[in-house]
């Protein structure tokens, strides 16, 4: 979700206003995604939204306070969103809760609790997430277990693998042409779709549909 602060600046507002607009975009896309999945001929059963990176936690206290408030209210809103429950979407969080205020942690726990019985689709929310941290954690787990440090054993300890989510097929990013370390291990064969002319709050369902259509038209050979 890249570009909230720039969007706010373009419109003459503080950063927190941009984060609110970004949250609105997220909620709108959840509605579109769950509706899209009602068509049996094309479904996206797993999706991940990177809501907060580890690096974001280094921002100034005033912005972080506003951002944490936005996240808390957004997580609570999703917990009671009808389309989430109608579509039986399980919400799981990846990353770390270290450095998060208790009200954000409580909202995370509420959202996971409200959807823990669902299995039709999975929405991952990355909070306090860093790609290098994930790989280091997986390697450390292998070493601590006494198992051989090899690709297979590391692969079984990524966030996706731990909760039975397949590796990433498609990454969509607004405004930039980089992945910023997103799921470093599980994006080896991932297709990338960059939307350079839009910031996150400007993203629409049409943009996502175009990304999926582009993905579907590509020949994926996995390096073979």
């Amino acid at each position: 979700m890249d570009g909230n602060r720039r969007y706010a600046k373009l419109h003459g507002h503080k950063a927190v206003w941009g984060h609110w607009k970004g949250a609105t975009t997220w909620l709108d896309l959840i509605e579109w995604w769950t509706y899209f999945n009602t068509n049996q001929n094309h479904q996206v059963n797993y999706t991940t939204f990177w809501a907060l990176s580890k690096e974001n936690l280094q921002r100034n206290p005033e912005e972080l306070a506003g951002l944490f408030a936005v996240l808390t209210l957004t997580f609570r809103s999703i917990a009671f969103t009808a389309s989430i429950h109608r579509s039986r979407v399980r919400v799981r969080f990846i990353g770390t809760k270290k450095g998060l205020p208790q009200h954000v942690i409580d909202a995370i726990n509420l959202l996971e609790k409200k959807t823990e019985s669902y299995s039709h689709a999975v929405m991952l929310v990355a909070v306090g997430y860093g790609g290098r941290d994930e790989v280091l954690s997986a390697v450390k787990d292998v070493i601590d277990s006494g198992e051989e440090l090899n690709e297979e054993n590391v692969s079984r300890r990524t966030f996706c693998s731990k909760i039975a989510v397949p590796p990433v097929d498609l990454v969509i990013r607004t405004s930039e042409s980089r992945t910023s370390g997103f799921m470093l291990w599980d994006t080896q064969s991932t297709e990338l779709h960059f939307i350079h002319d839009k910031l996150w709050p400007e993203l629409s369902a049409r943009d996502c549909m175009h990304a999926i259509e582009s993905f579907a038209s590509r020949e994926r050979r996995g390096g073979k």
Side-chain angles (χ1 to χ4, degrees):
M1 304 184 187
D2 191 59
N4 291 342
R5 293 193 297 178
R6 279 171 285 166
Y7 184 79
K9 186 176 181 179
L10 283 172
H11 290 81
H13 294 285
K14 290 186 176 181
V16 68
W17 183 85
H19 294 313
W20 280 117
K21 289 295 184 180
T24 300
T25 295
W26 183 13
L27 293 172
D28 289 344
L29 291 178
I30 289 173
E31 291 295 325
W32 169 78
W33 172 53
T34 53
Y35 175 78
F36 177 85
N37 277 357
T38 60
N39 189 322
Q40 297 296 321
N41 294 322
H42 51 238
Q43 293 186 333
V44 178
N45 293 319
Y46 303 94
T47 188
T48 301
F49 291 92
W50 193 356
L52 185 73
S53 72
K54 180 184 177 183
E55 291 74 22
N56 293 156
L57 294 172
Q58 306 304 314
R59 293 181 178 179
N60 71 74
E62 180 183 1
E63 182 183 349
L64 278 178
L67 180 53
F68 288 147
V70 171
L71 290 176
T72 295
L73 290 176
T74 304
F75 295 160
R76 290 184 176 277
S77 176
I78 296 171
F80 296 98
T81 295
S83 60
I84 288 287
H85 297 284
R86 184 172 57 249
S87 299
R88 301 186 67 78
V89 176
R90 184 169 188 182
V91 182
R92 305 291 298 270
F93 283 80
I94 61 174
T96 178
K97 296 176 182 176
K98 186 177 180 180
L100 301 179
Q102 190 59 46
H103 62 87
V104 177
I105 295 173
D106 289 344
I108 287 173
N109 293 339
L110 172 69
L111 181 47
E112 288 195 313
K113 182 68 175 177
K114 286 287 186 181
T115 63
E116 66 181 357
S117 65
Y118 300 153
S119 60
H120 182 73
V122 176
M123 181 172 75
L124 301 184
V125 181
V127 175
Y129 174 85
R132 290 182 176 180
D133 282 354
E134 179 183 13
V135 174
L136 286 173
S137 177
V139 170
K140 185 177 182 299
D141 285 350
V142 174
I143 293 172
D144 289 346
S145 72
E147 296 180 11
E148 180 184 355
L149 184 58
N150 57 36
E151 182 177 337
E152 180 182 357
N153 287 332
V154 173
S155 294
R156 290 193 292 106
R157 288 171 168 82
T158 65
F159 285 128
C160 285
S161 185
K162 284 180 179 179
I163 54 179
V165 171
V168 181
D169 288 316
L170 172 67
V171 170
I172 303 171
R173 180 164 186 175
T174 55
S175 75
E176 301 284 357
S177 298
R178 51 191 169 86
T179 63
S180 298
F182 178 67
M183 291 192 175
L184 280 173
W185 192 270
D186 284 309
T187 54
Q188 179 175 327
S189 301
T190 297
E191 299 291 328
L192 305 176
H193 185 90
F194 298 113
I195 304 173
H196 300 103
D197 60 343
K198 287 193 175 184
L199 302 173
W200 171 260
E202 300 170 314
L203 192 68
S204 68
R206 183 185 296 272
D207 295 320
C208 292
M209 191 67 235
H210 175 69
I212 292 172
E213 289 171 346
S214 173
F215 169 79
S217 69
R218 302 179 191 183
E219 181 182 359
R220 305 188 71 208
R221 294 176 293 189
K224 298 177 181 179

